[in-house]
Amino acid sequence: MEKPTVQLIKVTKKIGKKTIIHDLSFEVPKGEVFGFLGPNGAGKTTTIRMMVGLMRITSGDVLIEGHSITKDFEKAIKHVGAIVENPEMYKYLTGYQNLIHFARMSKGVTPERIQEVIHLVGLENRIHEKVKKYSLGMRQRLGVAQALLHRPSLLILDEPTNGLDPAGIRELRDYLRELAQKENISVVVSSHLLSEMELMCDRIGIIQNGKLVDVRLIKDFVSTGEGEAGRVSFEVDSVERALAALSGSDLQAAAVNGGIELVAVREQIAEANVLLVQAGVKIYGIRPLTKTLEDKFLEMTGSDQIA
Ligand SMILES: Nc1ncnc2c1ncn2[C@@H]1O[C@H](COP(=O)(O)OP(=O)(O)OP(=O)(O)O)[C@@H](O)[C@H]1O
Ligand SMILES: [Mg+2]
């Protein structure tokens, strides 16, 4: 297997007597969008700051393309593009002028590469306007373009969807995925918003109180297994008659939101349907209630309380 772009090995951060990050280990392969998900104060920004060498690691290490960020900073950081705090832009310069400026700061960025990153983030039409006229989403894109100039193999974005509207989030999501594939880079994004991680990432790691609670493929999170019981809701004309119709069976039904819900395997859904129809209950809809990532996340972390 190809070696991962980034590898965290038992990364620990102590500030004073407090351990903020405990023994964090995970790795991200090429072409993957990895989501770093956790409630406020969980330790996402702290971890990212250590990954890009903005903060000292108390123990453990981060390897980027095999180079240690602590022992071989220059070689490691060469492969990283990141937006940790808001990207610094010159507002009175155009987007293009900003990119030229940042291009001068790293070796070997050609005018062709500048055009390429502009195209990658879809800013062609507005790149010659002053940044002060940009919307938040456009600034975000310019930030990503800047972070990509030197062809990093790892792109790290801390809370990239902050302040974006739903359309902006969707666009970001689409081009991050495209980026991961086209440029074959790894992308690490952090967020406390579960619903969008579900759509943006291939895999997520959940962090809580500085500990990695779980790392899983999105598809494993969302789908319920074959033969596994799931909640199903029936939209009916009479909840009372529906419950009465099922009361003789071994199906456990309950009145929820003006309809009924039951926990059933596939066959039992058909069984319930037959019983209801036979009892003369009108059914307007049958809907499986798949657990969202959010449900699973809350189940796992107990709550979204800040520790
Ligand atoms: N310099 C510091 N000194 C002491 N504690 C700190 C310091 N920086 C961060 N912390 C603590 O470390 C924990 C993790 O903070 P961090 O900013 O990494 O969380 P986060 O997951 O990024 O949260 P958010 O979603 O709010 O951005 C918090 O409890 C925070 O108070
Ligand atoms: Mg943060």
Side-chain angles (χ1 to χ4, degrees):
M1 228 184 85
E2 212 177 351
K3 117 172 126 22
T5 314
V6 60
Q7 214 174 343
L8 276 76
I9 307 161
K10 291 175 161 289
V11 171
T12 296
K13 178 70 189 177
K14 290 185 184 159
I15 296 183
K17 283 189 181 151
K18 204 172 155 203
T19 304
I20 293 174
I21 304 295
H22 304 252
D23 261 351
L24 214 67
S25 300
F26 65 85
E27 49 187 57
V28 185
K30 288 255 157 1
E32 182 177 85
V33 182
F34 181 85
F36 201 33
L37 174 66
N40 293 135
K44 303 179 295 293
T45 301
T46 305
T47 304
I48 287 175
R49 290 176 67 87
M50 289 191 284
M51 287 170 77
V52 299
L54 284 170
M55 194 186 246
R56 212 177 60 80
I57 299 174
T58 307
S59 66
D61 206 351
V62 175
L63 304 183
I64 296 158
E65 297 288 0
H67 303 290
S68 158
I69 195 85
T70 55
K71 299 183 198 79
D72 220 347
F73 178 77
E74 296 280 326
K75 277 191 184 153
I77 205 69
K78 199 170 79 182
H79 302 284
V80 182
I83 305 181
V84 182
E85 270 91 39
N86 283 333
E88 278 301 318
M89 294 294 171
Y90 296 99
K91 286 194 179 152
Y92 290 93
L93 296 182
T94 65
Y96 192 74
Q97 288 166 330
N98 268 279
L99 290 179
I100 299 264
H101 171 76
F102 287 109
R104 286 200 193 105
M105 303 202 292
S106 43
K107 260 187 272 170
V109 179
T110 60
E112 291 73 37
R113 179 59 182 169
I114 296 178
Q115 288 304 332
E116 205 171 54
V117 295
I118 293 168
H119 178 69
L120 273 170
V121 302
L123 266 183
E124 290 103 325
N125 294 334
R126 310 292 296 269
I127 200 66
H128 293 296
E129 281 177 36
K130 288 195 170 143
V131 169
K132 67 173 179 173
K133 288 199 203 160
Y134 279 12
S135 70
L136 194 62
M138 290 159 69
R139 281 177 207 192
Q140 191 87 24
R141 282 166 186 249
L142 187 61
V144 172
Q146 181 209 315
L148 289 172
L149 277 173
H150 62 297
R151 297 184 187 278
S153 53
L154 174 64
L155 179 67
I156 304 178
L157 307 173
D158 191 18
E159 306 261 1
T161 57
N162 252 357
L164 297 187
D165 61 12
I169 292 175
R170 189 193 192 132
E171 285 166 9
L172 177 76
R173 185 185 87 203
D174 293 346
Y175 81 71
L176 283 184
R177 296 199 132 276
E178 203 181 304
L179 217 65
Q181 280 153 22
K182 269 196 196 157
E183 300 254 296
N184 196 30
I185 62 177
S186 308
V187 181
V188 174
V189 286
S190 77
S191 174
H192 57 276
L193 293 174
L194 324 152
S195 46
E196 57 181 58
M197 288 298 243
E198 201 168 343
L199 299 170
M200 195 157 34
C201 306
D202 302 306
R203 207 160 54 104
I204 62 162
I206 295 181
I207 180 171
Q208 192 196 16
N209 298 330
K211 291 182 188 136
L212 208 59
V213 186
D214 201 359
V215 180
R216 261 196 247 183
L217 291 171
I218 285 289
K219 62 178 169 54
D220 294 344
F221 254 111
V222 184
S223 61
T224 37
E226 255 320 282
E228 200 180 311
R231 276 163 57 223
V232 184
S233 100
F234 283 74
E235 193 188 330
V236 293
D237 63 341
S238 162
V239 172
E240 290 72 33
R241 280 190 293 120
L243 289 177
L246 299 176
S247 62
S249 73
D250 55 3
L251 296 163
Q252 301 290 322
V256 178
N257 294 334
I260 63 163
E261 268 184 36
L262 49 137
V263 177
V265 295
R266 202 175 147 74
E267 267 317 303
Q268 289 176 314
I269 300 172
E271 205 179 302
N273 190 42
V274 168
L275 288 173
L276 292 172
V277 171
Q278 282 173 348
V281 176
K282 281 189 182 162
I283 301 164
Y284 299 107
I286 303 176
R287 214 155 39 90
L289 303 167
T290 43
K291 266 189 197 158
T292 61
L293 188 55
E294 178 141 7
D295 294 332
K296 299 226 171 174
F297 174 73
L298 290 176
E299 233 170 61
M300 242 179 259
T301 58
S303 75
D304 55 1
Q305 281 288 305
I306 295 172

